[in-house]
Each structure stands twice: as structure tokens, then as C-alpha cells.
Amino acid sequence: MELSVKEERFAWKLVAPTIILLLLLILYPVIYNIYISFFDVGITSMKFVGLENYKRILSDKDFWRSFFITISFTLLTVVGSILLGLIVALMMNKDFKGRRIMRTIILLPYITPLISVVFSWHYIFDPSLGPFVEFFGRKLGLISTDIDLLNNINNAFIVVSVFNIWRNFPFVYLMILSKLQSIPSELYEAAEIDGANAWRKFTNVTLPELYFVIAAVGLLRGIWNFYKFDEVYLMSKSAGTLPIFIYERVIGTTSPEFGVAAAIATILMVVMMVLIGFYVKKVLKW
Amino acid sequence: MKKLFMVLLLVFVFSISFSASKIVFWHTQVEESRQKVINQLAETFSIETGIEVEVVAVEENEMFSKLAAAKAAGTLPDIIEAGAETILSLGSDGLLDTILPTRFINNSGWTFYEGAARFVMSPDGNNYYAVPYHGWVQGIWYRKDWFEEAGLEPPVTWEAILNAARYFNNPDKGIYGIVLAKNADSYAEQVFTIFALSNGARIFDKNGNIVVNSPQMKETLEYYRELGKYSAPGHTYWKQARELYLQGKAAMFFYSTYIMDDLALAEVQTKYIENFNPELVDNTGFAPYMTHSRKSSFGQVVSLGVLNTTTNKLGAWKFLNFMFEPENYVKFLHMAPGGMLPTTKEMAESEVFMNDPKGIYTRYGKEKIMEIIEGMSNVEKFGYVAGKVFPEMGKISGAFIIGKGIVKMFDEGLTPEEVLSFWETEMKKVTGK
């Protein structure tokens, strides 16, 4: 047997456990999910209904509302956390006293357990029990004493977006900072010799160097936030993104509609695959 | 290899023979301390009868999705402990055995409060879906000392409630007249129910039609909105209610009898406030009913149901009998004194029940406790109209439609008429009417 054939076989053997696990843990649920999306699944019955679930969902205006909220949420938070992460990374790339401790502090929102952060936010902004309204409202009289920033359904989208950006920018910052530190200083020196000012150095050296990091981080954050459930649900359920929409159809109800939820999940998967395919081709240029 | 095979075969045979005398019990008491007590009871049961009990704690909200998943996987439990709405929904889906509970309620020798038993009655009125096990009553808890000082009537009528809320409300000082329910959750439905029913406003008529869009309901919403002006701000629910009251920052709040230990015990109360207030028990009054055009109470009855898929009916029957044995029953009820009131007359009147280990019931006195237990008999819910049962209410509650409408009224400024048409549309949608 030729060496290359042997090596190839060996390689397959090495990846086989991973592939089997992936098939079991990912492919099977995905296929089962697609399968039940064609059924009306009640607590006692399972009836084949063909494309009925899809028809119902695609003609449900609450679904489309949630869909566009989710798209806006994803766009806003991805762009927001990248911008904030980029600015902070650029600042932290400069040498100054206390830089090391600052670098650690910046990571805190990302590494603190979500549930404790959410509870702190809810406590701080609670209009009757929390210190925010107590101080700015009742002590200083700057704001109304009955303002419920976090829960009011008119604020829900903004609150959830701001929270997500705040919580996740350290991840972006970390990725960008590590790339920043590997940009050779010769590039900047050469640019300086050519008479480039700080802004030109940023647009002509830093940004092109960061392009793929930012694009990759954008992709990851986009996927995560499109399916984001925990942060949105815990912060403000009334934000009404799609994962919450699905949850309310299945778990938080006494009449779970598994078939409909499976249909939504399948639709989301298709949408996501198209978007990712487009992104990878156009932005990441793979 | 042969040996290994033999061992595996033996294990397999044993597990099969064991599973025949095993029952699976799902309950909704997820708190760790309560799980311990229930596990102990299960152990005692298996020592006494030789029937093993697998105990599983399930969040009440997840009961349905878990049951549906278990149904698909063929791992349904034999017995469940769940609230009236869950039992009704399961019963109407044909998942519950009615023979055992009916026989138990009629022939076990225990006298069940009719007020509790009617919550688990099948719509034809001849059978029971489950056996009522414990329950609570919800009402307004208020500062009796403040009311007496101000010369105000106890908050049992709409007028008295609004007057008192207006009188005590002082938001600049952080004091609120009342803590109303204004969040899209089941607490909002619980609180709103008593207002609506005390005004004769219903969701179903006796033929099961949705009649939520009525002048009585509109009047109730208008009143609720007015009362909201004197309530703690924001999406308040039981958490703010409990904390503001214990901190002395609210004159009235809605809570079930589960609050009794928070009011009476230092170690519970100091979880929410720094210094224990020993006078709070005596200074707190409880209004277990509300009157406007009629009198109404609100509460919950939690029951034990037997799934009709069980292969171990004898085990289930023995388990029911075991759970009502006085020494086991009282152990269960004392997990949450106040919150878990008995559903049989014999237990309610017994000495052992009054002597809970923390001495909470003696602090309130037998008379007060009996009054609260009697209150359970007057409990009303939207799903029960003139002796008829409408399990569709479970779907309305599950989708938090009432709470969502209340949030829209307070946050988006929807008028009561707009809330009513929102409710009507959503309720018809989920019930398929």
C-alpha cells in the first residue's frame, strides 16, 4: 500500500469519532426537527399535516414582526459591539500607566456569569427598590420617580441591544487587540516616512490588517446573536426576538406547538445558511 | 467476555423485574429543602410497600413540554402533583385516569372540602381528574396598624382599597399605597382575577363562549388603571410586592398564604430586610376576599393525578393512600406552613397540623387559620362557571394573555376598550374559538 493512501486512511480514522459524534448530536436532531415540522404534534397525538405549519408561520404577522426585530437586533448589536470593541482595543494598544489592570477590568462584563449581571441590572434600575431611581429621582429630582427603564415594553429593544453590546464588546476587543499587537511596527514607520497622519495610518495600515479579524468576529457574533435566547429572555422578554417567540410556543405554554416551533427553527436554519453563505463569499472572500 | 455478557443479562433482567414494581412521581416543589422531604417520603413508601418511587422535580411552567416529550419517548410518569389548570388541561386531553381519584375521593374515608374538589371535577361532574392535596388562598395583606391609625376600613371593597391606596401613597418618600401586579406573568392574572370576579366580569359564559369584552370587564380595567396610579411603579410582581411590604414601604399587597412565614419568622424575613420586625405579624391584616357587585376569593388547589398510561395502578393507589396517611400528609404540608393548606377536614382540624415545627400556625391562632382554610372553599377562577369547567382557560393562562394586556395598558397607554379587544382576539386565537 502506498504511503499516501495509508496516511489518508489514518487521517480518516482520527476524525471518525468526531464525525460520528457530530452526526449523532447535530445531524440527527436537525433531521428529526425537519421531520416533525410536517406534523401537528400535540401532547397526545401526532398528525401529518404536510406544509400546513409552514403556511401558518409564514402568514403569521407576529412571526414577521419577530423576524425583523431579530434582524435589527443582530445588525445593531454586531455593529455596536465591533465599533466599541475596536475603539477600546485601539486605546488599550497605547502604553499608559495602569494599562494591565484596565485590560482585566474591561473583560469583566464578558466573564461575569450572565445571571448575576442581569440580576444586578434589574436591581439597580428597579423603580421602587433600586438605587438608580432612589438617587437620581428621589434625591436629586433629575428623573421621574416612576420610570421603569428595563421592563417598560417601549424600551425593551433598546435595553436588550445596549446590554448585549455592553456584555459582548470585550470579546471583540480581545480578538482585535491580539491582532493589533501583531501588526509589525515597520508598516507604521513606512507610512510615516510617506507622510501619513494618524488617520491615514489607521485607514491604510490598521484597518486593512484588521479586516479579516473583524469580518470573522462579525460572523461569529452574528450567528450567536441571531439565536440569542438567554440574555434577551432574562433582560426583557418583551423584546420579542425569534428565539423567545419559539420558546413561548413550546415551553412557556400549556398547549405546546412542537410542529410549528420545528417549522420556525427550520426556516431560521435556512435563512441563516443563506446569510452565512453570502457573508463568507462576499466578506470573508473564502 | 461470556462472564460480562452474563452480568449484563442479569442486570437487564433485574431492572425489568424491578421496574414492574416501580412508580415515577413528578412534583412541582423544586425548592431543595422541599425536595429532601419528598425524597424522604418516597423512601419511607418504598420501605413500607417494596415499591420503588422515582421522584422527579419539574418546574410548573415546564410541566407540559416535559410531559409531551416524555409522552413521545414513552417515559410518562405514573403520578403527578400539579395545579388545577395543568390537571384540567391534561384531563381534557384524556391523559389522566379518573377511576382511581374518583374512587379515592368517594371511598377513602377522608372528607374533602367541596371547594377544593370542584377544581378537579370533570366537565360532566361525575368524575374527578385528580385528588386535591393542598392549596393556598390569595388576598390583600395590609398594615392593620396604619389603617387603624388613619381610621380606614379594611381593604375588602373596591372603594376601601382605592381610598386607602390614595391615602398612603407617597412616592417621593418611596412609600406606595399598594403594589399592584403589572407584569406579563401568571401573578398578574391571579391578582386581576379577584377584581374581575368581584365585579361579575367573566371570560367564559356558561356555554363556553368567550365573553371577555363586557361592560363589567371594562369597568374592572378602568378601576385597575386608576388603582395603578397609587401603586409602586414599573412591572411590579410578587417580588417587589413582598420586599416593599416587608421594608415598610407599602400599605397593601397581594400575596398567597405562602407569605405567612416571611411575616412571622426572623430567619425568613431577614433575607429581604436587615432588621426583623417582630410586630409585623400582629400589625398585618389579611383580606381573603373582595367585594364589589359580588364577593369573590382567589387561590389554587394542587392535586395528585394518576396518568392513565401507568402500568402500575395498584402502586399508584397505594401511593395515594400513603400520601394521605396523617403522619406523611402533615410532613408534606409543613414543608411550607401557610402555603400548603390541607384539603381534608380531618387534617385541617387536627392538632398535629396546627403544631408546625416553626410554630407559625400557633402564632396566627387556630381561628385565623381555619378562617383561611374555609376561604379556600370560596375560591373562584375564570375557568369554572356555574358548576361547569372550561379547560381552555389553561391555554389562556399559559399564554399570559391577561398579564400582557395589563402591561399594554400601563406601558403603551392602551385604553380599557383596546385592551379588551386585544384580549378577545388573543383568547379566541389560543382557544381556537
Side-chain angles (χ1 to χ4, degrees):
Chain A
M1 203 182 289
E2 259 183 72
L3 189 64
S4 63
V5 178
K6 261 189 176 170
E7 270 191 356
E8 200 184 308
R9 285 207 177 151
F10 184 60
W12 275 109
K13 277 180 196 160
L14 285 180
V15 293
T18 319
I19 290 180
I20 291 167
L21 267 182
L22 276 180
L23 288 180
L24 275 177
L25 294 175
I26 295 178
L27 204 63
Y28 171 70
V30 166
I31 289 172
Y32 188 68
N33 183 69
I34 296 174
Y35 170 75
I36 63 169
S37 71
F38 298 112
F39 287 85
D40 178 11
V41 189
I43 204 157
T44 47
S45 60
M46 193 157 162
K47 201 170 77 216
F48 182 76
V49 290
L51 289 171
E52 194 50 41
N53 288 333
Y54 289 92
K55 274 188 209 151
R56 260 180 68 195
I57 276 306
L58 293 174
S59 60
D60 184 345
K61 66 178 195 306
D62 288 339
F63 167 78
W64 287 109
R65 204 178 136 260
S66 284
F67 182 79
F68 287 111
I69 290 178
T70 311
I71 295 279
S72 333
F73 169 73
T74 310
L75 280 177
L76 186 69
T77 52
V78 169
V79 172
S81 63
I82 286 180
L83 276 181
L84 189 61
L86 177 66
I87 293 168
V88 176
L90 288 171
M91 291 197 301
M92 288 299 133
N93 199 32
K94 298 264 182 292
D95 229 342
F96 63 89
K97 219 175 158 189
R99 181 170 77 157
R100 287 174 89 171
I101 197 141
M102 274 309 289
R103 281 186 173 177
T104 319
I105 290 174
I106 285 171
L107 287 179
L108 279 179
Y110 193 64
I111 56 176
T112 318
L114 174 67
I115 191 74
S116 48
V117 180
V118 169
F119 270 103
S120 317
W121 275 54
H122 272 285
Y123 168 68
I124 291 167
F125 292 104
D126 188 290
S128 49
L129 295 162
F132 181 78
V133 171
E134 180 67 36
F135 186 73
F136 290 101
R138 281 188 278 275
K139 282 253 164 63
L140 301 181
L142 292 177
I143 53 168
S144 150
T145 52
D146 56 7
I147 181 166
D148 191 351
L149 276 177
L150 295 195
N151 293 308
N152 192 305
I153 50 177
N154 305 315
N155 302 348
F157 179 77
I158 298 292
V159 166
V160 169
S161 304
V162 168
F163 180 77
N164 185 280
I165 293 172
W166 172 80
R167 180 165 163 81
N168 292 299
F169 88 87
F171 172 79
V172 183
Y173 143 83
L174 210 61
M175 296 294 126
I176 293 179
L177 185 64
S178 52
K179 178 68 197 169
L180 275 179
Q181 289 180 333
S182 69
I183 299 177
S185 55
E186 290 84 5
L187 290 178
Y188 290 104
E189 283 160 19
E192 255 168 55
I193 291 166
D194 286 343
N197 59 13
W199 175 246
R200 292 296 294 269
K201 274 195 279 183
F202 175 70
T203 52
N204 288 328
V205 181
T206 316
L207 263 192
E209 285 286 320
L210 290 179
Y211 179 82
F212 285 103
V213 173
I214 292 179
V217 167
L219 177 68
L220 278 179
R221 285 244 59 87
I223 297 172
W224 292 341
N225 281 0
F226 193 75
Y227 293 123
K228 186 57 86 189
F229 176 77
D230 48 1
E231 283 174 20
V232 183
Y233 188 77
L234 291 170
M235 258 335 255
S236 195
K237 271 176 264 197
S238 29
T241 55
L242 275 174
I244 311 269
F245 186 78
I246 299 180
Y247 175 85
E248 287 188 343
R249 284 277 164 121
V250 182
I251 294 171
T253 167
T254 50
S255 42
E257 298 174 286
F258 293 95
V260 175
I264 305 175
T266 310
I267 294 170
L268 287 195
M269 197 177 69
V270 172
V271 169
M272 212 48 197
M273 271 159 58
V274 172
L275 285 181
I276 292 173
F278 180 78
Y279 188 91
V280 166
K281 208 162 185 187
K282 294 288 168 190
V283 181
L284 287 174
K285 295 170 186 142
W286 284 351
Chain B
M1 196 65 196
K2 244 185 184 169
K3 257 188 193 166
L4 183 74
F5 181 72
M6 282 306 286
V7 169
L8 283 177
L9 193 73
L10 273 178
V11 168
F12 184 65
V13 169
F14 261 103
S15 56
I16 283 185
S17 60
F18 261 109
S19 64
S21 64
K22 180 183 152 189
I23 50 174
V24 181
F25 174 47
W26 284 15
H27 64 85
T28 51
Q29 309 300 327
V30 289
E31 291 84 350
E32 208 187 325
S33 56
R34 296 189 199 168
Q35 288 197 38
K36 263 189 206 154
V37 177
I38 294 176
N39 290 340
Q40 276 173 9
L41 285 172
E43 260 170 52
T44 317
F45 177 73
S46 52
I47 292 168
E48 281 182 14
T49 60
I51 301 170
E52 196 197 332
V53 186
E54 189 190 324
V55 182
V56 182
V58 181
E59 268 296 343
E60 173 110 46
N61 288 337
E62 290 174 8
M63 187 57 106
F64 268 88
S65 51
K66 288 252 165 83
L67 280 172
K71 165 94 183 149
T75 53
L76 277 173
D78 301 290
I79 299 182
I80 56 165
E81 181 238 23
E85 287 78 8
T86 308
I87 293 290
L88 264 192
S89 274
L90 292 174
S92 68
D93 279 344
L95 270 175
L96 292 177
D97 175 87
T98 52
I99 299 169
L100 289 189
T102 310
R103 194 182 299 167
F104 191 86
I105 289 175
N106 294 332
N107 305 333
S108 66
W110 307 114
T111 324
F112 285 88
Y113 283 104
E114 245 176 70
R118 79 199 139 98
F119 283 110
V120 288
M121 206 178 258
S122 63
D124 60 17
N126 299 327
N127 293 301
Y128 295 99
Y129 284 136
V131 185
Y133 197 50
H134 57 95
W136 46 262
V137 182
Q138 177 164 291
I140 297 185
W141 300 83
Y142 63 100
R143 285 297 294 255
K144 213 165 54 184
D145 52 334
W146 295 6
F147 272 69
E148 277 164 12
E149 204 182 321
L152 291 165
E153 295 283 316
V156 288
T157 64
W158 280 21
E159 207 187 347
I161 297 167
L162 188 62
N163 273 342
R166 202 180 279 144
Y167 182 87
F168 291 116
N169 195 47
N170 189 353
D172 291 338
K173 289 229 167 68
I175 308 274
Y176 303 101
I178 191 168
V179 188
L180 215 50
K182 292 181 285 168
N183 200 22
D185 55 15
S186 41
Y187 176 71
E189 180 179 320
Q190 293 167 7
V191 170
F192 187 78
T193 300
I194 190 168
F195 283 101
L197 291 178
S198 68
N199 195 33
R202 297 213 159 260
I203 289 179
F204 297 102
D205 67 6
K206 58 181 192 300
N207 300 319
N209 302 311
I210 288 182
V211 291
V212 69
N213 204 339
S214 65
Q216 291 91 331
M217 196 62 95
K218 188 179 150 221
E219 198 190 346
T220 312
L221 271 170
E222 277 163 357
Y223 175 81
Y224 205 82
R225 185 173 60 176
E226 178 65 18
L227 193 57
K229 289 182 190 161
Y230 312 105
S231 160
H235 283 217
T236 40
Y237 58 102
W238 52 265
K239 187 169 174 279
Q240 284 88 354
R242 180 177 64 190
E243 278 177 43
L244 286 168
Y245 185 81
L246 292 180
Q247 290 178 9
K249 290 179 174 172
M252 294 177 276
F253 74 114
F254 287 87
Y255 216 94
S256 69
T257 40
Y258 271 98
I259 198 74
M260 286 166 88
D261 57 343
D262 303 76
L263 295 173
L265 296 182
E267 71 264 31
V268 188
Q269 200 180 103
T270 46
K271 275 194 245 170
Y272 315 109
I273 54 170
E274 257 173 61
N275 298 316
F276 174 60
N277 177 355
E279 274 107 54
L280 200 58
V281 169
D282 296 326
N283 288 338
T284 297
F286 179 48
Y289 63 90
M290 190 184 286
T291 319
H292 188 57
S293 66
R294 57 193 290 284
K295 190 172 163 180
S296 183
S297 286
F298 185 79
Q300 174 65 299
V301 171
V302 181
S303 312
L304 298 174
V306 179
L307 276 287
N308 62 9
T309 45
T310 179
T311 51
N312 195 351
K313 290 230 160 113
L314 183 64
W317 177 257
K318 282 184 181 165
F319 189 73
L320 286 178
N321 278 292
F322 172 84
M323 293 299 272
F324 278 93
E325 291 287 335
E327 70 269 25
N328 304 323
Y329 194 13
V330 83
K331 211 178 210 178
F332 194 100
L333 296 174
H334 283 172
M335 292 194 295
M340 292 178 173
L341 301 169
T343 51
T344 64
K345 278 209 173 76
E346 289 80 5
M347 180 49 71
E349 285 161 3
S350 71
E351 278 306 307
V352 280
F353 170 66
M354 279 300 290
N355 289 325
D356 65 287
K358 287 170 181 162
I360 292 175
Y361 289 139
T362 36
R363 237 178 264 207
Y364 285 88
K366 180 145 188 159
E367 203 184 321
K368 184 92 198 158
I369 300 298
M370 287 311 286
E371 190 190 314
I372 293 174
I373 295 176
E374 293 292 336
M376 215 158 65
S377 301
N378 303 320
V379 161
E380 292 187 303
K381 293 185 177 214
F382 284 130
Y384 300 80
V385 187
K388 282 198 181 167
V389 179
F390 298 105
E392 297 93 328
M393 189 59 211
K395 298 193 194 308
I396 295 175
S397 304
F400 306 123
I401 293 173
I402 292 181
K404 281 179 185 164
I406 289 173
V407 166
K408 279 176 180 288
M409 182 167 77
F410 284 108
D411 275 7
E412 294 178 357
L414 253 61
T415 62
E417 287 90 346
E418 287 165 332
V419 175
L420 285 180
S421 66
F422 166 77
W423 276 353
E424 195 177 8
T425 322
E426 292 295 309
M427 286 173 187
K428 285 186 172 159
K429 199 158 96 185
V430 297
T431 55
K433 289 199 184 236

